[in-house]
Amino acid sequence: MSEKKINNLTLRTEQALRQRIVDGPLKVGEKLPTEKALAVEFGVSRTVIREAVAALRADGLLEAKHGVGYFVSTQPSSVEPQVMGAMFESASMLDTLELRMAVEIHAAGLAAARRSWAQEAKIWQAADAFAELLAKGEPTETADWTFHRSISEATNNSAFLEFFDRLGLAILPRRTLAGTKERGLITPSYLHKSIAEHKAICQAISDGDVEGARAAVRAHLGKSQMLYRGLAMGDRSPEEADGLDAETA
């Protein structure tokens, strides 16, 4: 099995376990199933499980108890609503997206200047995982969040990473949409365009192109801003908003 495939399996497994902690059923204090049980359930090797668990431990979501196993040490979903309420009590979806753009555009520039080889590889892996999930028709929210978080991590500035982690999945505007409205707005066309935009961001960061990385993130998030602005203003359909060029924002 190629190293790239192993890395992708690890990332997808990490995302799946993270989602169980964020949304349930795993709760704070509960024990994670054994490596063997998880390997059978996910259809991967125990090495992949160990690497995924190590990543979650590094993020503070799991803790090891010697001779017993791994336990959930914190649960983002249990604090996320309060954090969002405290930080952005009167902010609209568009207000939050504007703030996110300011932070992530700058983060992309820092990532291009400061990323390590391992951090660069993690950004590419996250982009590939998003594309693979979309091709399979599977949910992409967690993969999208992981991609953007990996850029914050590559700034090597803990404040950027903490900002991103405090918001969690709530940083994605589509989390504010419900049911049919989300399906009408987040179209396959919209998501497939994100693949090319993610790769443009990856390439600029890999090239060490600070301004290029900033521009690529601005174009990517600018598309979302136009889309949600159209929804909020009620002046265009999702299909019309999806077709807009983000550079006209």
PDB file of all heavy atoms in Angstrom, residues 202-239:
ATOM      1  N   CYS A 202      -3.384  25.043  -1.878  1.00  0.00           N
ATOM      2  CA  CYS A 202      -2.280  24.115  -1.581  1.00  0.00           C
ATOM      3  C   CYS A 202      -1.028  24.474  -2.385  1.00  0.00           C
ATOM      4  O   CYS A 202       0.087  24.502  -1.845  1.00  0.00           O
ATOM      5  CB  CYS A 202      -2.690  22.681  -1.909  1.00  0.00           C
ATOM      6  SG  CYS A 202      -3.912  21.954  -0.814  1.00  0.00           S
ATOM      7  N   GLN A 203      -1.215  24.721  -3.670  1.00  0.00           N
ATOM      8  CA  GLN A 203      -0.071  24.980  -4.550  1.00  0.00           C
ATOM      9  C   GLN A 203       0.645  26.261  -4.159  1.00  0.00           C
ATOM     10  O   GLN A 203       1.887  26.313  -4.134  1.00  0.00           O
ATOM     11  CB  GLN A 203      -0.535  25.064  -6.005  1.00  0.00           C
ATOM     12  CG  GLN A 203       0.618  25.040  -7.006  1.00  0.00           C
ATOM     13  CD  GLN A 203       1.441  23.762  -6.891  1.00  0.00           C
ATOM     14  OE1 GLN A 203       0.921  22.672  -7.060  1.00  0.00           O
ATOM     15  NE2 GLN A 203       2.726  23.910  -6.596  1.00  0.00           N
ATOM     16  N   ALA A 204      -0.126  27.301  -3.841  1.00  0.00           N
ATOM     17  CA  ALA A 204       0.492  28.562  -3.450  1.00  0.00           C
ATOM     18  C   ALA A 204       1.283  28.402  -2.157  1.00  0.00           C
ATOM     19  O   ALA A 204       2.393  28.941  -2.027  1.00  0.00           O
ATOM     20  CB  ALA A 204      -0.574  29.642  -3.295  1.00  0.00           C
ATOM     21  N   ILE A 205       0.743  27.658  -1.205  1.00  0.00           N
ATOM     22  CA  ILE A 205       1.456  27.424   0.052  1.00  0.00           C
ATOM     23  C   ILE A 205       2.711  26.596  -0.199  1.00  0.00           C
ATOM     24  O   ILE A 205       3.778  26.893   0.340  1.00  0.00           O
ATOM     25  CB  ILE A 205       0.521  26.737   1.077  1.00  0.00           C
ATOM     26  CG1 ILE A 205      -0.578  27.712   1.525  1.00  0.00           C
ATOM     27  CG2 ILE A 205       1.317  26.229   2.287  1.00  0.00           C
ATOM     28  CD1 ILE A 205      -1.630  27.096   2.423  1.00  0.00           C
ATOM     29  N   SER A 206       2.598  25.561  -1.045  1.00  0.00           N
ATOM     30  CA  SER A 206       3.763  24.732  -1.369  1.00  0.00           C
ATOM     31  C   SER A 206       4.859  25.547  -2.052  1.00  0.00           C
ATOM     32  O   SER A 206       6.053  25.309  -1.840  1.00  0.00           O
ATOM     33  CB  SER A 206       3.353  23.581  -2.292  1.00  0.00           C
ATOM     34  OG  SER A 206       2.559  22.645  -1.609  1.00  0.00           O
ATOM     35  N   ASP A 207       4.444  26.509  -2.873  1.00  0.00           N
ATOM     36  CA  ASP A 207       5.404  27.361  -3.596  1.00  0.00           C
ATOM     37  C   ASP A 207       6.000  28.451  -2.717  1.00  0.00           C
ATOM     38  O   ASP A 207       6.883  29.189  -3.159  1.00  0.00           O
ATOM     39  CB  ASP A 207       4.724  28.005  -4.809  1.00  0.00           C
ATOM     40  CG  ASP A 207       4.356  26.999  -5.890  1.00  0.00           C
ATOM     41  OD1 ASP A 207       4.910  25.885  -5.864  1.00  0.00           O
ATOM     42  OD2 ASP A 207       3.511  27.336  -6.744  1.00  0.00           O
ATOM     43  N   GLY A 208       5.488  28.575  -1.498  1.00  0.00           N
ATOM     44  CA  GLY A 208       5.961  29.653  -0.632  1.00  0.00           C
ATOM     45  C   GLY A 208       5.502  31.014  -1.117  1.00  0.00           C
ATOM     46  O   GLY A 208       6.119  32.040  -0.792  1.00  0.00           O
ATOM     47  N   ASP A 209       4.409  31.033  -1.870  1.00  0.00           N
ATOM     48  CA  ASP A 209       3.889  32.266  -2.458  1.00  0.00           C
ATOM     49  C   ASP A 209       2.903  32.905  -1.477  1.00  0.00           C
ATOM     50  O   ASP A 209       1.714  32.569  -1.465  1.00  0.00           O
ATOM     51  CB  ASP A 209       3.196  31.933  -3.787  1.00  0.00           C
ATOM     52  CG  ASP A 209       2.674  33.165  -4.512  1.00  0.00           C
ATOM     53  OD1 ASP A 209       2.744  34.273  -3.945  1.00  0.00           O
ATOM     54  OD2 ASP A 209       2.186  33.010  -5.648  1.00  0.00           O
ATOM     55  N   VAL A 210       3.398  33.831  -0.676  1.00  0.00           N
ATOM     56  CA  VAL A 210       2.593  34.436   0.377  1.00  0.00           C
ATOM     57  C   VAL A 210       1.367  35.152  -0.188  1.00  0.00           C
ATOM     58  O   VAL A 210       0.234  34.922   0.247  1.00  0.00           O
ATOM     59  CB  VAL A 210       3.434  35.408   1.221  1.00  0.00           C
ATOM     60  CG1 VAL A 210       2.556  36.190   2.194  1.00  0.00           C
ATOM     61  CG2 VAL A 210       4.524  34.641   1.976  1.00  0.00           C
ATOM     62  N   GLU A 211       1.597  36.033  -1.159  1.00  0.00           N
ATOM     63  CA  GLU A 211       0.477  36.789  -1.727  1.00  0.00           C
ATOM     64  C   GLU A 211      -0.453  35.882  -2.529  1.00  0.00           C
ATOM     65  O   GLU A 211      -1.671  36.081  -2.538  1.00  0.00           O
ATOM     66  CB  GLU A 211       1.001  37.928  -2.609  1.00  0.00           C
ATOM     67  CG  GLU A 211       1.692  39.037  -1.821  1.00  0.00           C
ATOM     68  CD  GLU A 211       0.809  39.594  -0.705  1.00  0.00           C
ATOM     69  OE1 GLU A 211      -0.400  39.783  -0.936  1.00  0.00           O
ATOM     70  OE2 GLU A 211       1.328  39.830   0.397  1.00  0.00           O
ATOM     71  N   GLY A 212       0.122  34.884  -3.193  1.00  0.00           N
ATOM     72  CA  GLY A 212      -0.701  33.945  -3.949  1.00  0.00           C
ATOM     73  C   GLY A 212      -1.604  33.129  -3.048  1.00  0.00           C
ATOM     74  O   GLY A 212      -2.761  32.865  -3.380  1.00  0.00           O
ATOM     75  N   ALA A 213      -1.081  32.723  -1.892  1.00  0.00           N
ATOM     76  CA  ALA A 213      -1.884  31.954  -0.934  1.00  0.00           C
ATOM     77  C   ALA A 213      -3.026  32.804  -0.395  1.00  0.00           C
ATOM     78  O   ALA A 213      -4.156  32.346  -0.272  1.00  0.00           O
ATOM     79  CB  ALA A 213      -1.003  31.455   0.212  1.00  0.00           C
ATOM     80  N   ARG A 214      -2.716  34.053  -0.086  1.00  0.00           N
ATOM     81  CA  ARG A 214      -3.762  34.955   0.400  1.00  0.00           C
ATOM     82  C   ARG A 214      -4.846  35.150  -0.654  1.00  0.00           C
ATOM     83  O   ARG A 214      -6.046  35.126  -0.347  1.00  0.00           O
ATOM     84  CB  ARG A 214      -3.152  36.305   0.778  1.00  0.00           C
ATOM     85  CG  ARG A 214      -2.286  36.270   2.041  1.00  0.00           C
ATOM     86  CD  ARG A 214      -1.599  37.599   2.259  1.00  0.00           C
ATOM     87  NE  ARG A 214      -0.799  37.605   3.479  1.00  0.00           N
ATOM     88  CZ  ARG A 214       0.112  38.523   3.781  1.00  0.00           C
ATOM     89  NH1 ARG A 214       0.330  39.513   2.920  1.00  0.00           N
ATOM     90  NH2 ARG A 214       0.785  38.465   4.909  1.00  0.00           N
ATOM     91  N   ALA A 215      -4.416  35.346  -1.894  1.00  0.00           N
ATOM     92  CA  ALA A 215      -5.375  35.570  -2.976  1.00  0.00           C
ATOM     93  C   ALA A 215      -6.248  34.339  -3.205  1.00  0.00           C
ATOM     94  O   ALA A 215      -7.448  34.455  -3.476  1.00  0.00           O
ATOM     95  CB  ALA A 215      -4.637  35.949  -4.258  1.00  0.00           C
ATOM     96  N   ALA A 216      -5.644  33.158  -3.104  1.00  0.00           N
ATOM     97  CA  ALA A 216      -6.392  31.916  -3.336  1.00  0.00           C
ATOM     98  C   ALA A 216      -7.460  31.711  -2.256  1.00  0.00           C
ATOM     99  O   ALA A 216      -8.581  31.291  -2.549  1.00  0.00           O
ATOM    100  CB  ALA A 216      -5.431  30.727  -3.371  1.00  0.00           C
ATOM    101  N   VAL A 217      -7.124  32.005  -1.006  1.00  0.00           N
ATOM    102  CA  VAL A 217      -8.110  31.882   0.069  1.00  0.00           C
ATOM    103  C   VAL A 217      -9.182  32.961  -0.070  1.00  0.00           C
ATOM    104  O   VAL A 217     -10.370  32.714   0.148  1.00  0.00           O
ATOM    105  CB  VAL A 217      -7.431  31.968   1.453  1.00  0.00           C
ATOM    106  CG1 VAL A 217      -8.477  32.079   2.560  1.00  0.00           C
ATOM    107  CG2 VAL A 217      -6.568  30.741   1.695  1.00  0.00           C
ATOM    108  N   ARG A 218      -8.758  34.172  -0.475  1.00  0.00           N
ATOM    109  CA  ARG A 218      -9.728  35.250  -0.670  1.00  0.00           C
ATOM    110  C   ARG A 218     -10.750  34.868  -1.743  1.00  0.00           C
ATOM    111  O   ARG A 218     -11.958  35.097  -1.582  1.00  0.00           O
ATOM    112  CB  ARG A 218      -9.014  36.541  -1.070  1.00  0.00           C
ATOM    113  CG  ARG A 218      -9.952  37.750  -1.198  1.00  0.00           C
ATOM    114  CD  ARG A 218      -9.202  39.000  -1.615  1.00  0.00           C
ATOM    115  NE  ARG A 218      -8.241  39.407  -0.597  1.00  0.00           N
ATOM    116  CZ  ARG A 218      -6.922  39.345  -0.754  1.00  0.00           C
ATOM    117  NH1 ARG A 218      -6.397  38.869  -1.878  1.00  0.00           N
ATOM    118  NH2 ARG A 218      -6.124  39.746   0.211  1.00  0.00           N
ATOM    119  N   ALA A 219     -10.291  34.267  -2.827  1.00  0.00           N
ATOM    120  CA  ALA A 219     -11.199  33.847  -3.892  1.00  0.00           C
ATOM    121  C   ALA A 219     -12.128  32.735  -3.415  1.00  0.00           C
ATOM    122  O   ALA A 219     -13.322  32.729  -3.710  1.00  0.00           O
ATOM    123  CB  ALA A 219     -10.391  33.381  -5.103  1.00  0.00           C
ATOM    124  N   HIS A 220     -11.565  31.787  -2.653  1.00  0.00           N
ATOM    125  CA  HIS A 220     -12.345  30.647  -2.166  1.00  0.00           C
ATOM    126  C   HIS A 220     -13.436  31.089  -1.194  1.00  0.00           C
ATOM    127  O   HIS A 220     -14.613  30.764  -1.371  1.00  0.00           O
ATOM    128  CB  HIS A 220     -11.395  29.657  -1.491  1.00  0.00           C
ATOM    129  CG  HIS A 220     -12.064  28.473  -0.882  1.00  0.00           C
ATOM    130  ND1 HIS A 220     -12.966  27.684  -1.560  1.00  0.00           N
ATOM    131  CD2 HIS A 220     -11.966  27.931   0.378  1.00  0.00           C
ATOM    132  CE1 HIS A 220     -13.388  26.714  -0.771  1.00  0.00           C
ATOM    133  NE2 HIS A 220     -12.807  26.850   0.411  1.00  0.00           N
ATOM    134  N   LEU A 221     -13.060  31.858  -0.176  1.00  0.00           N
ATOM    135  CA  LEU A 221     -14.039  32.303   0.808  1.00  0.00           C
ATOM    136  C   LEU A 221     -14.918  33.420   0.265  1.00  0.00           C
ATOM    137  O   LEU A 221     -16.058  33.596   0.708  1.00  0.00           O
ATOM    138  CB  LEU A 221     -13.334  32.749   2.093  1.00  0.00           C
ATOM    139  CG  LEU A 221     -12.579  31.652   2.854  1.00  0.00           C
ATOM    140  CD1 LEU A 221     -11.981  32.210   4.133  1.00  0.00           C
ATOM    141  CD2 LEU A 221     -13.487  30.479   3.167  1.00  0.00           C
ATOM    142  N   GLY A 222     -14.384  34.172  -0.706  1.00  0.00           N
ATOM    143  CA  GLY A 222     -15.186  35.225  -1.326  1.00  0.00           C
ATOM    144  C   GLY A 222     -16.378  34.643  -2.057  1.00  0.00           C
ATOM    145  O   GLY A 222     -17.461  35.243  -2.089  1.00  0.00           O
ATOM    146  N   LYS A 223     -16.205  33.455  -2.626  1.00  0.00           N
ATOM    147  CA  LYS A 223     -17.318  32.768  -3.287  1.00  0.00           C
ATOM    148  C   LYS A 223     -18.416  32.465  -2.277  1.00  0.00           C
ATOM    149  O   LYS A 223     -19.606  32.696  -2.539  1.00  0.00           O
ATOM    150  CB  LYS A 223     -16.819  31.466  -3.923  1.00  0.00           C
ATOM    151  CG  LYS A 223     -17.906  30.653  -4.613  1.00  0.00           C
ATOM    152  CD  LYS A 223     -17.394  29.276  -5.010  1.00  0.00           C
ATOM    153  CE  LYS A 223     -17.190  28.373  -3.803  1.00  0.00           C
ATOM    154  NZ  LYS A 223     -16.852  26.992  -4.184  1.00  0.00           N
ATOM    155  N   SER A 224     -18.015  31.977  -1.105  1.00  0.00           N
ATOM    156  CA  SER A 224     -18.993  31.695  -0.063  1.00  0.00           C
ATOM    157  C   SER A 224     -19.681  32.972   0.395  1.00  0.00           C
ATOM    158  O   SER A 224     -20.898  32.991   0.632  1.00  0.00           O
ATOM    159  CB  SER A 224     -18.309  31.030   1.143  1.00  0.00           C
ATOM    160  OG  SER A 224     -17.823  29.757   0.808  1.00  0.00           O
ATOM    161  N   GLN A 225     -18.908  34.025   0.520  1.00  0.00           N
ATOM    162  CA  GLN A 225     -19.484  35.291   0.965  1.00  0.00           C
ATOM    163  C   GLN A 225     -20.565  35.776  -0.004  1.00  0.00           C
ATOM    164  O   GLN A 225     -21.642  36.205   0.410  1.00  0.00           O
ATOM    165  CB  GLN A 225     -18.390  36.349   1.100  1.00  0.00           C
ATOM    166  CG  GLN A 225     -18.890  37.664   1.702  1.00  0.00           C
ATOM    167  CD  GLN A 225     -17.790  38.696   1.767  1.00  0.00           C
ATOM    168  OE1 GLN A 225     -17.058  38.887   0.805  1.00  0.00           O
ATOM    169  NE2 GLN A 225     -17.668  39.361   2.905  1.00  0.00           N
ATOM    170  N   MET A 226     -20.294  35.689  -1.299  1.00  0.00           N
ATOM    171  CA  MET A 226     -21.276  36.101  -2.293  1.00  0.00           C
ATOM    172  C   MET A 226     -22.526  35.222  -2.226  1.00  0.00           C
ATOM    173  O   MET A 226     -23.656  35.690  -2.333  1.00  0.00           O
ATOM    174  CB  MET A 226     -20.664  36.025  -3.690  1.00  0.00           C
ATOM    175  CG  MET A 226     -19.609  37.089  -3.975  1.00  0.00           C
ATOM    176  SD  MET A 226     -20.309  38.746  -3.994  1.00  0.00           S
ATOM    177  CE  MET A 226     -21.267  38.674  -5.503  1.00  0.00           C
ATOM    178  N   LEU A 227     -22.293  33.926  -2.034  1.00  0.00           N
ATOM    179  CA  LEU A 227     -23.395  32.973  -1.991  1.00  0.00           C
ATOM    180  C   LEU A 227     -24.334  33.271  -0.829  1.00  0.00           C
ATOM    181  O   LEU A 227     -25.552  33.371  -0.994  1.00  0.00           O
ATOM    182  CB  LEU A 227     -22.828  31.560  -1.873  1.00  0.00           C
ATOM    183  CG  LEU A 227     -23.785  30.386  -2.082  1.00  0.00           C
ATOM    184  CD1 LEU A 227     -24.262  30.343  -3.516  1.00  0.00           C
ATOM    185  CD2 LEU A 227     -23.086  29.080  -1.727  1.00  0.00           C
ATOM    186  N   TYR A 228     -23.766  33.443   0.353  1.00  0.00           N
ATOM    187  CA  TYR A 228     -24.585  33.657   1.536  1.00  0.00           C
ATOM    188  C   TYR A 228     -25.139  35.078   1.578  1.00  0.00           C
ATOM    189  O   TYR A 228     -26.206  35.309   2.150  1.00  0.00           O
ATOM    190  CB  TYR A 228     -23.777  33.335   2.790  1.00  0.00           C
ATOM    191  CG  TYR A 228     -23.543  31.856   2.925  1.00  0.00           C
ATOM    192  CD1 TYR A 228     -22.358  31.275   2.492  1.00  0.00           C
ATOM    193  CD2 TYR A 228     -24.529  31.024   3.442  1.00  0.00           C
ATOM    194  CE1 TYR A 228     -22.155  29.914   2.578  1.00  0.00           C
ATOM    195  CE2 TYR A 228     -24.329  29.657   3.538  1.00  0.00           C
ATOM    196  CZ  TYR A 228     -23.138  29.103   3.100  1.00  0.00           C
ATOM    197  OH  TYR A 228     -22.949  27.758   3.173  1.00  0.00           O
ATOM    198  N   ARG A 229     -24.428  36.028   0.979  1.00  0.00           N
ATOM    199  CA  ARG A 229     -24.975  37.379   0.896  1.00  0.00           C
ATOM    200  C   ARG A 229     -26.234  37.376   0.035  1.00  0.00           C
ATOM    201  O   ARG A 229     -27.237  38.020   0.360  1.00  0.00           O
ATOM    202  CB  ARG A 229     -23.947  38.336   0.299  1.00  0.00           C
ATOM    203  CG  ARG A 229     -24.425  39.788   0.242  1.00  0.00           C
ATOM    204  CD  ARG A 229     -23.398  40.653  -0.453  1.00  0.00           C
ATOM    205  NE  ARG A 229     -22.140  40.683   0.278  1.00  0.00           N
ATOM    206  CZ  ARG A 229     -20.973  41.050  -0.278  1.00  0.00           C
ATOM    207  NH1 ARG A 229     -20.916  41.360  -1.556  1.00  0.00           N
ATOM    208  NH2 ARG A 229     -19.881  41.071   0.441  1.00  0.00           N
ATOM    209  N   GLY A 230     -26.192  36.608  -1.066  1.00  0.00           N
ATOM    210  CA  GLY A 230     -27.364  36.505  -1.924  1.00  0.00           C
ATOM    211  C   GLY A 230     -28.534  35.884  -1.187  1.00  0.00           C
ATOM    212  O   GLY A 230     -29.681  36.305  -1.332  1.00  0.00           O
ATOM    213  N   LEU A 231     -28.241  34.879  -0.366  1.00  0.00           N
ATOM    214  CA  LEU A 231     -29.301  34.227   0.413  1.00  0.00           C
ATOM    215  C   LEU A 231     -29.879  35.193   1.438  1.00  0.00           C
ATOM    216  O   LEU A 231     -31.100  35.305   1.601  1.00  0.00           O
ATOM    217  CB  LEU A 231     -28.733  32.996   1.126  1.00  0.00           C
ATOM    218  CG  LEU A 231     -29.706  32.252   2.054  1.00  0.00           C
ATOM    219  CD1 LEU A 231     -30.819  31.598   1.250  1.00  0.00           C
ATOM    220  CD2 LEU A 231     -28.960  31.207   2.873  1.00  0.00           C
ATOM    221  N   ALA A 232     -28.983  35.921   2.135  1.00  0.00           N
ATOM    222  CA  ALA A 232     -29.436  36.827   3.184  1.00  0.00           C
ATOM    223  C   ALA A 232     -30.249  37.985   2.619  1.00  0.00           C
ATOM    224  O   ALA A 232     -31.233  38.426   3.216  1.00  0.00           O
ATOM    225  CB  ALA A 232     -28.231  37.366   3.960  1.00  0.00           C
ATOM    226  N   MET A 233     -29.829  38.482   1.456  1.00  0.00           N
ATOM    227  CA  MET A 233     -30.512  39.621   0.851  1.00  0.00           C
ATOM    228  C   MET A 233     -31.754  39.207   0.084  1.00  0.00           C
ATOM    229  O   MET A 233     -32.609  40.031  -0.232  1.00  0.00           O
ATOM    230  CB  MET A 233     -29.545  40.356  -0.089  1.00  0.00           C
ATOM    231  CG  MET A 233     -28.329  40.931   0.606  1.00  0.00           C
ATOM    232  SD  MET A 233     -28.727  42.176   1.851  1.00  0.00           S
ATOM    233  CE  MET A 233     -29.304  43.499   0.795  1.00  0.00           C
ATOM    234  N   GLY A 234     -31.826  37.911  -0.256  1.00  0.00           N
ATOM    235  CA  GLY A 234     -32.984  37.414  -0.982  1.00  0.00           C
ATOM    236  C   GLY A 234     -33.093  37.959  -2.384  1.00  0.00           C
ATOM    237  O   GLY A 234     -34.181  38.016  -2.974  1.00  0.00           O
ATOM    238  N   ASP A 235     -31.952  38.372  -2.973  1.00  0.00           N
ATOM    239  CA  ASP A 235     -32.004  39.005  -4.288  1.00  0.00           C
ATOM    240  C   ASP A 235     -31.571  38.097  -5.417  1.00  0.00           C
ATOM    241  O   ASP A 235     -31.487  38.520  -6.550  1.00  0.00           O
ATOM    242  CB  ASP A 235     -31.152  40.277  -4.287  1.00  0.00           C
ATOM    243  CG  ASP A 235     -29.685  40.016  -3.931  1.00  0.00           C
ATOM    244  OD1 ASP A 235     -29.349  38.850  -3.650  1.00  0.00           O
ATOM    245  OD2 ASP A 235     -28.906  40.978  -3.922  1.00  0.00           O
ATOM    246  N   ARG A 236     -31.253  36.825  -5.105  1.00  0.00           N
ATOM    247  CA  ARG A 236     -30.900  35.907  -6.185  1.00  0.00           C
ATOM    248  C   ARG A 236     -31.108  34.485  -5.712  1.00  0.00           C
ATOM    249  O   ARG A 236     -31.097  34.209  -4.519  1.00  0.00           O
ATOM    250  CB  ARG A 236     -29.441  36.101  -6.639  1.00  0.00           C
ATOM    251  CG  ARG A 236     -28.411  35.838  -5.565  1.00  0.00           C
ATOM    252  CD  ARG A 236     -27.003  36.052  -6.105  1.00  0.00           C
ATOM    253  NE  ARG A 236     -26.784  37.426  -6.464  1.00  0.00           N
ATOM    254  CZ  ARG A 236     -26.273  38.340  -5.624  1.00  0.00           C
ATOM    255  NH1 ARG A 236     -25.944  37.983  -4.399  1.00  0.00           N
ATOM    256  NH2 ARG A 236     -26.078  39.562  -5.993  1.00  0.00           N
ATOM    257  N   SER A 237     -31.252  33.587  -6.648  1.00  0.00           N
ATOM    258  CA  SER A 237     -31.421  32.178  -6.315  1.00  0.00           C
ATOM    259  C   SER A 237     -30.072  31.558  -6.012  1.00  0.00           C
ATOM    260  O   SER A 237     -29.034  32.106  -6.380  1.00  0.00           O
ATOM    261  CB  SER A 237     -32.056  31.444  -7.507  1.00  0.00           C
ATOM    262  OG  SER A 237     -31.124  31.389  -8.575  1.00  0.00           O
ATOM    263  N   PRO A 238     -30.042  30.391  -5.346  1.00  0.00           N
ATOM    264  CA  PRO A 238     -28.771  29.704  -5.105  1.00  0.00           C
ATOM    265  C   PRO A 238     -28.012  29.435  -6.394  1.00  0.00           C
ATOM    266  O   PRO A 238     -26.800  29.532  -6.435  1.00  0.00           O
ATOM    267  CB  PRO A 238     -29.215  28.400  -4.416  1.00  0.00           C
ATOM    268  CG  PRO A 238     -30.495  28.753  -3.746  1.00  0.00           C
ATOM    269  CD  PRO A 238     -31.171  29.726  -4.691  1.00  0.00           C
ATOM    270  N   GLU A 239     -28.747  29.077  -7.469  1.00  0.00           N
ATOM    271  CA  GLU A 239     -28.078  28.781  -8.728  1.00  0.00           C
ATOM    272  C   GLU A 239     -27.392  30.012  -9.293  1.00  0.00           C
ATOM    273  O   GLU A 239     -26.271  29.956  -9.791  1.00  0.00           O
ATOM    274  CB  GLU A 239     -29.094  28.238  -9.750  1.00  0.00           C
ATOM    275  CG  GLU A 239     -29.648  26.865  -9.411  1.00  0.00           C
ATOM    276  CD  GLU A 239     -30.720  26.911  -8.324  1.00  0.00           C
ATOM    277  OE1 GLU A 239     -31.181  28.039  -7.973  1.00  0.00           O
ATOM    278  OE2 GLU A 239     -31.090  25.840  -7.829  1.00  0.00           O
TER     279      GLU A 239
END
